[in-house]
């Protein structure tokens, strides 16, 4: 019997497969399809202080081996997440969930995290400083080491649970940003968010996406994500949740060899709602094929 358990900042999870924020709602929607307790955990839809309707449509564009989204952090706001979404999740999920939080100022990040910190269902925070789809927030905090440090400090000051900072690949030096987060108290790094991209409609000769650009994800970005996880692993001593184009158990192993302790699956959930279940089901056989008894042993194994 192979061992798929991993320890994520003091919490043992049954396997390292985590549906990525924005691709799995608040979980209970997928519980209609399968028992979501099979997951290690999942990261819920990016939550902000106030409710957000998101960006005007069209906000999705298909691409070969991927997709572009420009959702714009649509969510019901932290109060409704606590009063409506988390109770619905509790009815179908016994495990700790990862709270994904976004903001438009340091105060907003801190406000939302402080409110969620009191919720016993939440095991970890994933603080998103990398959303490419909003102005004056999101990625603006993730493209400077100083701003990333400030968000990390602000959130750590008001939380008791492990905090992962979710980084943007749309930077020249992701390593310096990861190090700034670690130096300011981050318990882990989540990486990578989407790559800024666009498509143009040949009939209208205009951008497909209303906001012109959006975040590109899907299997096409796996090599970029692996390269960045590999580089950051060499520079920090905190766990990394690796993501970007993961859609198979083989991709999970590759991401862990690059340095990830756990692995998020994003766009694949939108193509195949059973993607995470399929990966979890196939993981033991793939581990056996490559003579891996214990997943923890392979973290950073490619270095
Ligand atoms: C969105 O809601 O725009 C996606 C979130 C993200 O890319 O960080």
């Amino acid at each position: 019997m192979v061992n798929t358990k991993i320890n994520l900042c003091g919490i043992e999870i049954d396997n390292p497969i985590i549906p990525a924020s924005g691709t799995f709602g608040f979980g209970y929607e997928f519980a209609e399809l399968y028992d979501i307790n099979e997951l290690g955990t999942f990261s819920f839809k990016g939550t902000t202080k106030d409710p957000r309707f998101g960006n005007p449509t069209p906000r999705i564009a298909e691409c070969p081996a991927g997709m572009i989204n420009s959702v714009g952090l649509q969510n019901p706001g932290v109060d409704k997440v606590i009063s409506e979404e988390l109770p619905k999740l509790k009815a179908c999920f016994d495990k700790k969930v990862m709270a994904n939080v976004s903001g438009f100022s340091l105060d907003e990040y801190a406000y939302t995290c402080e409110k969620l910190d009191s919720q016993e269902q939440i095991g970890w925070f994933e603080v998103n400083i990398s959303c490419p789809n909003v102005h004056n927030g999101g990625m603006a905090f993730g493209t400077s080491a100083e701003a990333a440090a400030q968000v990390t400090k602000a959130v750590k000051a008001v939380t008791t649970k492990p905090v992962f900072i979710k980084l943007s690949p749309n930077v020249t030096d992701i390593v310096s940003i990861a190090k700034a987060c670690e130096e300011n108290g981050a318990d882990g790094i989540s990486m990578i968010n989407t790559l800024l991209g666009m498509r143009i409609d040949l009939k209208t000769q205009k951008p497909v996406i209303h906001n012109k650009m959006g975040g590109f994800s899907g299997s096409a970005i796996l090599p970029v994500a692996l390269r960045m996880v590999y580089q950051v692993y060499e520079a920090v001593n905190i766990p990394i949740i690796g993501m970007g184009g993961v859609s198979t158990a083989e991709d999970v192993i590759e991401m862990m060899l690059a340095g990830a302790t756990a692995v998020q699956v994003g766009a694949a959930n939108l193509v195949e709602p059973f993607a995470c279940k399929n990966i979890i089901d196939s993981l033991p056989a793939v581990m056996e094929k490559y003579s891996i008894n214990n997943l923890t042993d392979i973290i950073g194994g490619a270095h």
Side-chain angles (χ1 to χ4, degrees):
M1 263 294 267
V2 295
N3 184 6
T4 61
K5 288 189 199 303
I6 58 115
N7 189 301
L8 198 57
C9 290
I11 304 176
E12 189 179 74
I13 57 178
D14 291 332
N15 60 68
I17 317 303
I18 304 175
S21 177
T23 67
F24 211 73
F26 286 91
Y28 58 84
E29 302 91 331
F30 281 73
E32 292 175 16
L33 303 176
Y34 66 92
D35 180 4
I36 61 169
N37 288 293
E38 285 185 38
L39 300 166
T41 179
F42 73 93
S43 181
F44 67 48
K45 176 62 192 160
T47 296
T48 50
K49 175 174 175 281
D50 299 315
R52 288 181 55 80
F53 189 69
N55 291 334
T57 57
R59 52 190 194 181
I60 298 287
E62 289 191 37
C63 310
M67 60 174 281
I68 294 174
N69 93 80
S70 166
V71 171
L73 299 173
Q74 179 177 346
N75 79 96
V78 67
D79 289 335
K80 277 217 167 131
V81 167
I82 291 173
S83 64
E84 294 179 14
E85 305 295 341
L86 288 180
K88 284 190 221 165
L89 175 63
K90 202 176 174 68
C92 57
F93 192 56
D94 309 328
K95 297 181 169 180
K96 299 285 185 196
V97 66
M98 188 170 287
N100 185 290
V101 171
S102 275
F104 294 84
S105 67
L106 294 180
D107 285 348
E108 272 195 36
Y109 276 107
Y111 176 93
T112 307
C113 288
E114 189 169 15
K115 279 213 151 179
L116 288 167
D117 196 56
S118 59
Q119 299 301 305
E120 56 86 22
Q121 281 164 278
I122 289 169
W124 314 259
F125 284 98
E126 182 177 57
V127 175
N128 184 2
I129 57 167
S130 45
C131 176
N133 301 326
V134 291
H135 303 295
N136 309 319
M139 200 170 84
F141 290 102
T143 47
S144 127
E146 267 160 48
Q150 282 175 357
V151 177
T152 308
K153 240 190 273 177
V155 169
K156 281 297 289 179
V158 296
T159 50
T160 59
K161 297 177 177 172
V163 173
F164 284 76
I165 307 290
K166 185 168 177 179
L167 300 189
S168 173
N170 303 303
V171 293
T172 44
D173 183 10
I174 198 166
V175 169
S176 63
I177 296 172
K179 280 167 83 167
C181 296
E182 180 182 40
E183 281 158 15
N184 285 278
D187 300 285
I189 299 293
S190 264
M191 60 185 292
I192 56 175
N193 205 324
T194 51
L195 289 146
L196 197 59
M198 77 180 295
R199 301 237 49 197
I200 295 171
D201 184 324
L202 295 188
K203 284 196 210 107
T204 63
Q205 303 192 353
K206 294 280 181 281
V208 171
I209 298 265
H210 183 277
N211 263 14
K212 299 190 177 74
M213 295 167 204
F216 179 47
S217 60
S219 50
I221 74 165
L222 178 67
V224 178
L226 283 166
R227 183 267 292 179
M228 289 190 162
V229 168
Y230 188 93
Q231 288 176 314
V232 168
Y233 179 83
E234 300 221 320
V236 302
N237 292 305
I238 50 178
I240 299 169
I241 301 175
M243 75 197 78
V246 172
S247 64
T248 65
E250 285 85 351
D251 296 343
V252 169
I253 289 173
E254 209 175 334
M255 195 56 97
M256 293 184 77
L257 287 167
T261 295
V263 179
Q264 289 191 3
V265 178
N269 295 315
L270 306 178
V271 179
E272 165 54 87
F274 291 90
C276 287
K277 179 180 169 38
N278 292 343
I279 293 173
I280 291 165
D281 290 348
S282 60
L283 189 58
V286 175
M287 287 171 66
E288 273 166 23
K289 179 175 172 194
Y290 293 102
S291 308
I292 300 164
N293 293 322
N294 194 336
L295 263 190
T296 298
D297 294 342
I298 69 163
I299 298 168
H303 292 258

